[in-house]
Amino acid sequence: QAVCGYGSQDALPFRAIKEGELYFQEDREVNLVELALATNIPKGCAETAVRVHVSYLDGKGNLEPQGTVPSAVSTLTDDLLKYYQHVTRAVLGDDPQLMKVALQDLQTNSKIAALLPYFVYVVSGVKSVSHDLEQLNRLLHIARSLIQNPFLCLGSYVRSLIASVMYCALEPLAASINPLNDHWTLRDYAAMLLSRIFWCVTHGDLVSGLYHQILLSLQKVLADPVRPLCSHYGAVVGLHALGWK
């Protein structure tokens, strides 16, 4: 949260405790005599200033200095890059058996943490293939493998995955224009995946906030008479998948 105060435009400094990985805000000494005798009494709060510092974990789990470009984003190792290319080609390709093997490995591989943002980005491509049910299904399969991988900490990427899953469940997809396309099954699968996310993610506060946010989104779609039947259907199966409570 932003810190409101009088006059200071400097960010609060943080100091590290030598005995452990703990950071605390440093309290500056204030001269009360000078403060009491000061003639320039502030008339109101200064403008709120927010500064962001980001630290990244490199591919080996080491914390990189603030302000540097993370190695996981700037450059991937050759092995990770090849893995990413092979898996995406296998899942989005034409060989069902190869796709099955790739998804299984994506679900159990313990060394692909650096690739998580890349695969989440691939899943977010659902909006660009809303006309292709097959591709939408495959992207949701990638999301399921990422969610079920016990070695991946999804963290803030949960929101991106949920957004992609909700899109498949609630939006009037281009593929739904053709009555021969079974987009209902896709919506069923997206709803099931939505509930599975809450079973697999263990960050209590994050999940609690997301849960209420998703409930509101589903209720809003369900209560909107302008929305098409397929969107109402997605909201119903989504609510059902989250449980009777």
Side-chain angles (χ1 to χ4, degrees):
Q1 294 183 347
V3 178
C4 297
Y6 287 100
S8 177
Q9 294 296 322
D10 297 328
L12 290 174
F14 280 81
R15 295 290 180 265
I17 294 179
K18 296 180 181 179
E19 289 76 13
E21 297 181 358
L22 179 63
Y23 295 83
F24 65 96
Q25 295 180 4
E26 181 184 29
D27 291 327
R28 299 174 180 175
E29 292 185 0
V30 177
N31 190 319
L32 294 180
V33 175
E34 292 181 359
L35 185 64
L37 299 178
T39 57
N40 57 334
I41 299 176
K43 297 181 180 180
C45 290
E47 293 183 3
T48 302
V50 180
R51 295 184 182 181
V52 179
H53 293 276
V54 182
S55 297
Y56 298 94
L57 291 175
D58 63 15
K60 299 179 181 178
N62 300 315
L63 191 65
E64 297 187 347
Q66 293 181 353
T68 61
V69 179
S71 60
V73 175
S74 58
T75 56
L76 291 173
T77 64
D78 290 339
D79 290 340
L80 283 176
L81 184 59
K82 289 179 180 178
Y83 178 89
Y84 170 75
Q85 292 173 340
H86 287 319
V87 168
T88 50
R89 288 172 184 169
V91 175
L92 302 177
D94 300 325
D95 189 335
Q97 183 60 30
L98 197 59
M99 179 186 71
K100 183 178 180 181
V101 172
L103 289 173
Q104 180 62 31
D105 190 81
L106 195 61
Q107 183 177 324
T108 56
N109 199 310
S110 61
K111 301 178 181 180
I112 58 172
L115 292 174
L116 177 59
Y118 291 85
F119 284 120
V120 172
Y121 178 76
V122 171
V123 175
S124 68
V126 290
K127 296 181 181 180
S128 61
V129 292
S130 67
H131 60 284
D132 192 332
L133 285 177
E134 182 64 29
Q135 292 291 69
L136 288 172
N137 270 294
R138 291 173 184 236
L139 292 177
L140 288 184
H141 285 321
I142 294 178
R144 181 176 183 176
S145 293
L146 295 177
I147 293 166
Q148 292 185 320
N149 189 324
F151 303 103
L152 293 179
C153 179
L154 299 179
S156 59
Y157 293 111
V158 172
R159 296 184 182 274
S160 297
L161 290 175
I162 288 178
S164 299
V165 173
M166 294 272 283
Y167 179 86
C168 293
L170 299 177
E171 292 302 317
L173 308 171
S176 63
I177 298 176
N178 186 346
L180 298 179
N181 289 334
D182 184 15
H183 57 96
W184 311 103
T185 301
L186 176 75
R187 298 179 194 278
D188 290 340
Y189 183 66
M192 180 277 297
L193 200 54
L194 196 61
S195 67
R196 189 174 292 273
I197 289 175
F198 291 99
W199 281 103
C200 296
V201 180
T202 56
H203 305 288
D205 295 337
L206 175 66
V207 172
S208 177
L210 285 174
Y211 189 82
H212 292 294
Q213 182 180 341
I214 288 173
L215 280 180
L216 289 176
S217 298
L218 295 175
Q219 291 173 358
K220 184 177 179 180
V221 171
L222 189 58
D224 187 353
V226 179
R227 289 276 193 156
L229 174 62
C230 58
S231 295
H232 289 162
Y233 177 84
V236 170
V237 293
L239 289 168
H240 180 264
L242 291 180
W244 63 270
K245 289 185 179 181

